[in-house]
Amino acid sequence: MKRWYLVYSHFNQESKAEEHLLNQKFECISFKTIKNKKGKKEISLIFPRYLFVSFDIGKDNWQKISYTRGVKSLISSNTIPIPIPTKVIDNIKLLQSKSGVINPFQVFPLYKGKKIKIIDGPFKGKECSFLKMNSKERVLVLLNFLGNILKILIPNEYIDIAA
């Protein structure tokens, strides 16, 4: 029976490890999110240096995973890989959008009145209050702009939790 296991990769070698594991016919997943860094959208890993790999410990030649380019080790106990419950992987997969990216605001709870900061777009640098999720990609916020309270709809990737 196939189960999920955790692979630890070399520094900044996650994509290389994933590519080589896929070439060896292992099912492999790395969970990604979009971050804004200096006004540019950047895809980053939710679990840096970790990949999830599925294999049947009784049938597959899983020992070769540790020798795969980009892989540092397979998380194990006494040389036996430690399985991750399938439900954990399934629940994380449910958070993914069609493009395979996870929206962090589906993971971290937002509530009405929560202070958030706009990090991109025409209102960049302004602080506002969360009102509600409008869809998976947009949120409705209250923004105090030039003495007026405005309700505006902004993309999720334009906001961050205020410090």
Side-chain angles (χ1 to χ4, degrees):
M1 181 175 90
K2 282 193 169 197
R3 304 222 23 212
W4 288 98
Y5 300 89
L6 197 57
V7 167
Y8 186 62
S9 71
H10 288 284
F11 184 72
N12 279 341
Q13 299 290 309
E14 299 93 347
S15 58
K16 183 183 281 188
E18 187 172 10
E19 176 188 344
H20 288 283
L21 288 166
L22 290 170
N23 286 342
Q24 295 176 55
K25 308 295 185 233
F26 287 106
E27 185 179 355
C28 190
I29 300 174
S30 59
F31 296 104
K32 299 169 179 76
T33 189
I34 295 177
K35 286 187 177 179
N36 276 314
K37 288 196 176 178
K38 297 179 183 174
K40 294 181 182 176
K41 291 180 189 175
E42 186 179 286
I43 292 181
S44 65
L45 295 171
I46 292 180
F47 306 108
R49 296 186 71 178
Y50 289 96
L51 301 168
F52 297 90
V53 179
S54 177
F55 57 86
D56 186 330
I57 201 163
K59 293 180 183 175
D60 295 327
N61 183 10
W62 57 268
Q63 291 88 349
K64 65 183 178 181
I65 291 174
S66 295
Y67 302 102
T68 301
R69 198 171 283 185
V71 171
K72 186 161 186 160
S73 63
L74 184 59
I75 305 301
S76 310
S77 174
N78 294 329
T79 69
I80 305 297
I82 302 168
I84 295 171
T86 304
K87 191 73 175 162
V88 171
I89 302 298
D90 292 342
N91 285 339
I92 297 173
K93 281 182 175 180
L94 288 174
L95 297 172
Q96 288 180 310
S97 66
K98 290 176 184 158
S99 63
V101 175
I102 294 175
N103 176 356
F105 298 105
Q106 289 181 282
V107 179
F108 303 108
L110 288 174
Y111 52 87
K112 195 173 184 176
K114 174 111 174 140
K115 295 292 180 198
I116 54 179
K117 186 176 182 180
I118 301 173
I119 56 173
D120 202 357
F123 298 108
K124 182 178 178 178
K126 299 283 185 197
E127 199 170 277
C128 56
S129 297
F130 175 78
L131 198 54
K132 71 175 188 172
M133 292 293 289
N134 196 49
S135 69
K136 282 190 172 185
E137 282 86 33
R138 295 184 174 272
V139 293
L140 186 63
V141 298
L142 289 176
L143 175 70
N144 187 349
F145 186 69
L146 300 174
N148 295 319
I149 304 284
L150 305 174
K151 282 185 184 181
I152 59 170
L153 203 56
I154 39 181
N156 292 339
E157 62 263 17
Y158 283 18
I159 62 172
D160 199 2
I161 306 296

